[in-house]
Amino acid sequence: MLPLHTMSEAIHSMFTRICPRYDLANDVLSFGLHRLWRKALKRAAKLSPGQIALDLCTGTGDVAIELKQIPGITVIGADFVFPMLRIADEKSGTIPFIQGDTMRLPFRSEAIDLVSVSFGIRNVDSPLAGLKEINRILSANGKVLVMEFGQPQNRAFSALYNFYSKYIMPCLGGILSGDRSAYEYLPESAGRFPCRENFLALMKDAGFSKLNYRPLCFGIAYLYEGIK
Ligand SMILES: C[S@@+](CC[C@H](N)C(=O)[O-])C[C@H]1O[C@@H](n2cnc3c(N)ncnc32)[C@H](O)[C@@H]1O
């Protein structure tokens, strides 16, 4: 077991509880949209044969599996919840998955060409410290891609989405996963997580440049990109 801080312990225990039903809940609650978002992340990766990609907070490994479709690259997945990695390993069979905390990654500096983090950075104790750690392990000109929930900008859509995430998601997520509190935490943490320019400012503080982002589904989520 990895040494964990208090907030990490709560997050660790929550993801350990929901992992057996995580994929099912993800599919139902996102209406399958997360599949399209992963493809957007893969397109943004622009990796060349021989390069190394690391998918952090990989969970059940779907982003790592998507990236693995890029010919000739090496993909590694990492997460701090071991049972998530067991599911990822059963699904992929060929990708190495390792247990690791995004705040203290078991990689030497400048070892990785691309780091992706999909719906994970919000859960890390200090997102800024996590981004700095990612910056440390990236090679010169290496790329970070972060996909994370945020707040939609359009007022009418935002009202609709807030209703869905506040009332329907916890109820449905609770039934599907057996853990209602995890699906109360999701919209609550997404609602207060810095998005758009505020998240780019964090990336800049962590040492990234050439920053940009694009909204996914009217800003339910965002795909951020930065270069070391
Ligand atoms: C919402 S899931 C996302 C999983 C996957 N990336 C996806 O897009 O479906 C968040 C994942 O982040 C992992 N996680 C949270 N904090 C972490 C940390 N500090 N270090 C490593 N993994 C962490 C959790 O165990 C969980 O598997």
Side-chain angles (χ1 to χ4, degrees):
M1 170 63 84
L2 296 164
L4 299 170
H5 302 296
T6 320
M7 142 108 176
S8 297
E9 274 166 15
I11 296 287
H12 187 278
S13 128
M14 180 181 83
F15 282 109
T16 305
R17 287 195 309 273
I18 66 170
C19 71
R21 311 295 293 278
Y22 177 81
D23 282 348
L24 173 69
N26 217 5
D27 259 336
V28 175
L29 294 173
S30 80
F31 305 102
L33 277 174
H34 67 110
R35 293 168 186 271
L36 299 179
W37 296 346
R38 278 202 296 276
K39 293 202 182 302
L41 187 150
K42 182 176 69 180
R43 280 195 300 275
K46 297 197 176 83
L47 285 161
S48 312
Q51 291 194 303
I52 302 174
L54 170 66
D55 183 45
L56 290 177
C57 300
T58 195
T60 59
D62 284 342
V63 169
I65 292 168
E66 189 75 40
L67 289 172
K68 186 74 184 161
Q69 291 173 8
I70 302 172
I73 67 159
T74 299
V75 181
I76 305 163
D79 198 286
F80 72 172
V81 170
F82 188 72
M84 281 281 192
L85 297 174
R86 213 165 21 215
I87 298 172
D89 186 51
E90 276 164 18
K91 280 159 69 176
S92 101
T94 55
I95 297 171
F97 288 104
I98 59 159
Q99 194 177 22
D101 187 336
T102 299
M103 302 276 290
R104 289 173 297 276
L105 291 166
F107 292 94
R108 65 176 169 77
S109 299
E110 314 211 330
I112 308 287
D113 300 301
L114 172 103
V115 171
S116 56
V117 198
S118 151
F119 304 111
I121 199 77
R122 179 180 96 257
N123 303 301
V124 170
D125 255 357
S126 161
L128 176 60
L131 287 168
K132 284 184 177 167
E133 181 64 346
I134 291 168
N135 190 283
R136 177 187 71 77
I137 63 164
L138 275 173
S139 56
N141 293 313
K143 186 187 282 186
V144 64
L145 289 172
V146 177
M147 196 147 66
E148 191 49 89
F149 291 115
Q151 302 94 43
Q153 276 179 300
N154 177 288
R155 279 223 188 137
F157 182 75
S158 180
L160 197 70
Y161 179 67
N162 286 343
F163 179 83
Y164 170 73
S165 59
K166 193 166 172 196
Y167 298 105
I168 300 176
M169 191 184 282
C171 189
L172 205 53
I175 293 167
L176 292 168
S177 71
D179 194 323
R180 185 185 168 106
S181 64
Y183 291 90
E184 286 169 346
Y185 163 79
L186 192 162
E188 190 267 319
S189 56
R192 61 181 152 78
F193 195 71
C195 67
R196 299 186 288 275
E197 277 69 20
N198 291 335
F199 189 74
L200 291 188
L202 271 187
M203 292 175 74
K204 185 164 181 263
D205 286 351
F208 291 101
S209 59
K210 297 184 186 162
L211 303 167
N212 68 68
Y213 73 87
R214 55 171 285 207
L216 302 166
C217 195
F218 306 110
I220 291 178
Y222 295 87
L223 178 59
Y224 302 93
E225 184 172 333
I227 301 291
K228 174 166 173 177

